[in-house]
Structure formats: C-alpha cells, structure tokens
Amino acid sequence: MKGLVIALGGSMIFTITLGLFMALTLLMISMEEGGGTLSNFSVSLTLAVALLCQGAGFHASSITVTIIPLLLTALLIWLVAWLTRKLSTSPKAYVAGLLSWVAIMWIFTQNVVVLLEDPVWMVLAKTAIFFTLGFLIGAIPGSSMTKTIGKFITDNVSKRLSDSLKLGLLNAVILILGYLVIGLITVIVWAVTNQSAMVRVFNLANMQTGSRIMTTICTLGWLPNLCLWALSWLFGSGFSIGDLASFSLWHDHALGLPAVPVFAIFPQALSNDTLRLCLMAIPLVCGCLLTLVELFLPRCFAIGAGKPDEAFNVGKTIGQFVYPILSFCLTSGLMAIVMNILFTLSSGALGQHRLAHVGVDTIASSRVVCLPSTLGFSLAWLISVVVIALVFASRMLFDYLRSRNAADAMQGDDNSSADHSITAVSAETTDGIGQTAMDSAAEKP
C-alpha cells in the first residue's frame, strides 16, 4: 500500500503542479497573442512533458523534442526520494511502487496527442529507471543494508583506507557541484551580456510582456542543460545547435536558427588568447588547489616529514603518499562516469534533420572537464613529493654540516692540546739547559 502511495502521490503532485503552470502559460499566450484558446491542450502537453522529464521524447508535425529538462527531472527524482523516506524503504514498497508507477506512466502514454519517439515498452523502461533512481536515493542512506555495509567496512578495512575512499567520493561531489556552479555563472553572464539580442527576438516574434515572462520561466526547466553546455564551452570544447550553429572559445557560427529566445543569449568567440588559456585552466587549478589543501590538512591526509629529531622511516614516508593516489583515482573515475552521463542527458534533438542533435559532444566535453582535473591531482601530488623531499634533504644537509662542524671542532681541540704539550716540553728543556750552564759557571775558580 505504501508503495502505491509513493507512486501515486509522486506522480500526482508533480503532474498537477506542472499542469497548472502549463495551463496558466497557455492561457497567457492565447490571451496576448490572440487566436483560439490553447488551454485545451494543457492536459496532453502536461502528460507529454512529464514523460519527457523521464527521457521519453515526442514530436508533433515538424516539432521534435528529446532534450530532457533536467531541472524538472531533478525535482521529480527528489519528490520520489522524499516520499520514500517519509513512507517506506522496504523492498515490498519498491516493487509495489514500481509497478504502480509504470502503470500510471502507461496511462499517460495513452492520453497524449503527440507522437512518442520511442516504443511504449521503452518509454515504460525509462520511467522505471527514473523511479528506481529516486527510490534508491531515498532508501539507501538510512537502510539497514547500508548500516551493515558500513559496519563491515569499519571492522575489516583500515580507518586510513576508508577515510581516503570517503575523501575521494567527497572530492567528486565537490568538484562536480563546483563546476555546475561555474556553468551557472557563465549562463548568467551570457544572459546579461546578450539580453538585447533576446529582446530583439521577442520583438520579432511579437511576444507581449506576459508571454515573455512565462516562456522565460518555462526555459528554466532546461537551465541545468544550459549550465552543462556553458561548462563545455568554457573549458574549450563547445556545443552546437544541429547543423545551424556552433559555439566555442575560438569561433561562433549561426545561420538560420529558429526564433527561440534562449538561443539569442549564446556567446560570441573570445579574441583574447590569454583569457582563453585562463578559462581552460580552471579545472586544472581547481583540482590542484583542492588536492594541495587535502594533502597537508591535518584532518585529511596530513602529509608531513615528521619531527626533526625523528629517525627517517622509508616505509612510513612512502606509504603516506599511497592513500592519496587511491583517493584521487576514485575521484577521477567517478567524475568521468558522472560527467559522461550528465553531458549525454543534456543533449537531444529539436528536429529530424538539421536539428537532429542539439548540445555537446559527450566525449570531448567530458575530456576537457575530467582530464585537466586529473592533471591537477597529479601535479599537486608531485608538488607534495618534492616539498617533502626538500624537507628531508635540507635536514640531511643540516645534520651533515653540523656533524662536520663538530668533527672540525674536536680536531681543533686535539691540535690545540698537542701544541700546548710541545710548548711545555720546550720550556722545560730550555730551563734545564739554563740551569746546567749556571751550575758549570759556579764550579769554576
């Protein structure tokens, strides 16, 4: 029963909220732009968007949409996770919720007027994946299985190794979220810089104030997609709008783009080579700084050369550099997997031919984000090795100079003692000769 409530509650809350907004948007547009009322299509369009949030694209006449609105998807997953934590995390609840969710989504597929891009079975498989993801996010943190695994790791894995793996996971989360924030800042800069171009597009489309506001709010559903595209552009890869336009730090080309207002904020190429180099170096610098902080921070890896009076331990010194390698390898692997998934989900189609691919090149974009970050990890690790080696070298040099000075001082003391003895012997000999001469002179008549 609780699983049914999770599925029914999640789908209804999300769909009703989305439907009310869609109805308001269509009503506003129909009132300002004239013509027949568009609110009659709000239910069908709401169901189509709810399926689109779970990866099921659709097309109507010449319009094709397969780009997932990642912000709405994240909200849907969060809603399922929240209901799961509040109601039940048991396997029975998951099975009941999954079956109910798939049944509800099947009803959605039967009541849309648009044509779905995928077969019904594939649409239902995608919706099952998204429900499973939301349920797991809600169930895993507080489940008994998680506690059992945590206890097993605590009992059988060394604390230093487990702490290193936790740091690796935390680093991946910090860097991914940090890069998304950088992408958001870039999108804001685009919007502020190119707002006049967006106004011109609104004017060309004869859109009134209310329609402009509502369509801009609708665009926020794809804000994470834009952040990921901006991230790819900022770090040197770029993105494209089908065959009609492409944008990168080196060139921007646009010809015959559709009159979509958000397309007007896309950036121009940069002419400053130094600025381009600085932007592309951001992931390298971020990875290097984060690694340096954690390597020497006492609460993290706490790498150091020990106290000056401690004996040099080769195994201990080398061993403290092994755990950071494991941690940052885990970070690099997780970043590569997550960024590939995010870049893949951020792209899609807006048409059948020239707009068949809108977004980024997944492999190239992941490379410009993950590879410099990994190089930053490696550079910081090498810097720490050099620093510790210099500390030990300076200590050895200081000990050598101190021992040499001590030896020279001892040798100087020995030489001084020997000179003093020779001087004393010479004085005694001189005194003896003088006394003998005086005695001989006294014996003469």
Side-chain angles (χ1 to χ4, degrees), residues 172-438:
V173 174
I174 291 174
L175 286 176
I176 291 172
L177 292 179
Y179 290 155
L180 290 177
V181 171
I182 292 174
L184 175 60
I185 295 173
T186 305
V187 172
I188 294 174
V189 172
W190 289 354
V192 173
T193 305
N194 300 315
Q195 60 176 335
S196 58
M198 179 180 286
V199 172
R200 285 196 301 269
V201 174
F202 281 133
N203 292 332
L204 290 174
N206 294 321
M207 297 182 67
Q208 303 302 315
T209 303
S211 300
R212 296 182 184 189
I213 295 174
M214 299 307 293
T215 53
T216 302
I217 295 175
C218 290
T219 305
L220 294 179
W222 286 269
L223 181 60
N225 305 63
L226 295 177
C227 293
L228 290 165
W229 297 0
L231 196 64
S232 177
W233 177 87
L234 192 69
F235 292 165
S237 179
F239 61 96
S240 62
I241 308 299
D243 299 333
L244 303 178
S246 61
F247 302 90
S248 72
L249 294 176
W250 290 268
H251 64 85
D252 58 276
H253 167 73
L255 180 63
L257 279 176
V260 179
V262 71
F263 288 171
I265 71 169
F266 289 153
Q268 293 77 37
L270 301 180
S271 57
N272 191 320
D273 292 336
T274 303
L275 179 58
R276 281 197 295 256
L277 184 61
C278 291
L279 294 178
M280 293 173 62
I282 289 176
L284 175 67
V285 174
C286 291
C288 185
L289 291 179
L290 179 63
T291 304
L292 285 176
V293 169
E294 292 187 348
L295 285 174
F296 295 101
L297 198 67
R299 297 185 62 180
C300 295
F301 295 106
I303 286 179
K307 297 181 179 179
D309 55 348
E310 288 184 2
F312 177 67
N313 189 328
V314 179
K316 180 181 178 181
T317 303
I318 296 177
Q320 66 181 347
F321 291 99
V322 175
Y323 290 104
I325 293 177
L326 297 177
S327 177
F328 296 123
C329 284
L330 176 61
T331 301
S332 299
L334 290 175
M335 283 188 60
I337 294 172
V338 174
M339 294 309 299
N340 270 280
I341 293 174
L342 290 178
F343 280 126
T344 301
L345 293 177
S346 71
S347 304
L350 289 177
Q352 296 290 335
H353 303 290
R354 303 188 68 183
L355 291 174
H357 177 76
V358 176
V360 300
D361 183 336
T362 300
I363 297 177
S365 300
S366 299
R367 183 171 60 247
V368 298
V369 174
C370 300
L371 183 58
S373 301
T374 303
L375 291 178
F377 302 154
S378 303
L379 179 61
W381 186 85
L382 290 175
I383 290 174
S384 67
V385 171
V386 171
V387 169
I388 299 301
L390 289 176
V391 171
F392 279 115
S394 62
R395 287 181 183 177
M396 294 173 65
L397 179 61
F398 178 77
D399 292 340
Y400 170 75
L401 294 176
R402 184 172 58 184
S403 61
R404 183 174 180 179
N405 290 335
D408 291 342
M410 292 179 62
Q411 185 176 1
D413 293 341
D414 293 341
N415 292 336
S416 299
S417 300
D419 293 341
H420 180 72
S421 299
I422 293 173
T423 302
V425 171
S426 299
E428 291 177 358
T429 304
T430 302
D431 294 341
I433 294 175
Q435 185 65 36
T436 302
M438 290 176 64

Side-chain angles (χ1 to χ4, degrees), residues 96-239:
L98 179 62
L99 295 177
S100 303
W101 187 269
V102 171
I104 294 171
M105 294 303 118
W106 179 81
I107 295 174
F108 284 9
T109 61
Q110 304 304 306
N111 290 274
V112 293
V113 295
V114 295
L115 181 63
L116 298 174
E117 283 289 295
D118 301 319
V120 174
W121 68 268
M122 186 176 294
V123 172
L124 298 181
K126 290 180 178 180
T127 59
I129 292 173
F130 280 91
F131 177 82
T132 301
L133 181 60
F135 191 92
L136 291 178
I137 292 175
I140 286 179
S143 66
S144 59
M145 181 179 297
T146 303
K147 296 178 181 178
T148 303
I149 294 175
K151 187 176 184 303
F152 175 81
I153 293 175
T154 303
D155 296 339
N156 297 275
V157 179
S158 66
K159 185 178 184 301
R160 194 169 183 184
L161 178 58
S162 62
D163 290 343
S164 299
L165 297 179
K166 290 178 182 178
L167 273 177
L169 178 61
L170 180 62
N171 289 338
V173 174
I174 291 174
L175 286 176
I176 291 172
L177 292 179
Y179 290 155
L180 290 177
V181 171
I182 292 174
L184 175 60
I185 295 173
T186 305
V187 172
I188 294 174
V189 172
W190 289 354
V192 173
T193 305
N194 300 315
Q195 60 176 335
S196 58
M198 179 180 286
V199 172
R200 285 196 301 269
V201 174
F202 281 133
N203 292 332
L204 290 174
N206 294 321
M207 297 182 67
Q208 303 302 315
T209 303
S211 300
R212 296 182 184 189
I213 295 174
M214 299 307 293
T215 53
T216 302
I217 295 175
C218 290
T219 305
L220 294 179
W222 286 269
L223 181 60
N225 305 63
L226 295 177
C227 293
L228 290 165
W229 297 0
L231 196 64
S232 177
W233 177 87
L234 192 69
F235 292 165
S237 179
F239 61 96

Side-chain angles (χ1 to χ4, degrees), residues 59-103:
H59 68 264
S61 65
S62 61
I63 300 176
T64 300
V65 180
T66 62
I67 303 178
I68 301 174
L70 291 179
L71 181 59
L72 297 180
T73 301
L75 292 175
L76 178 60
I77 293 174
W78 173 83
L79 179 59
V80 173
W82 180 77
L83 290 172
T84 300
R85 285 194 299 269
K86 292 296 183 180
L87 297 176
S88 177
T89 59
S90 65
K92 292 182 179 179
Y94 166 70
V95 174
L98 179 62
L99 295 177
S100 303
W101 187 269
V102 171

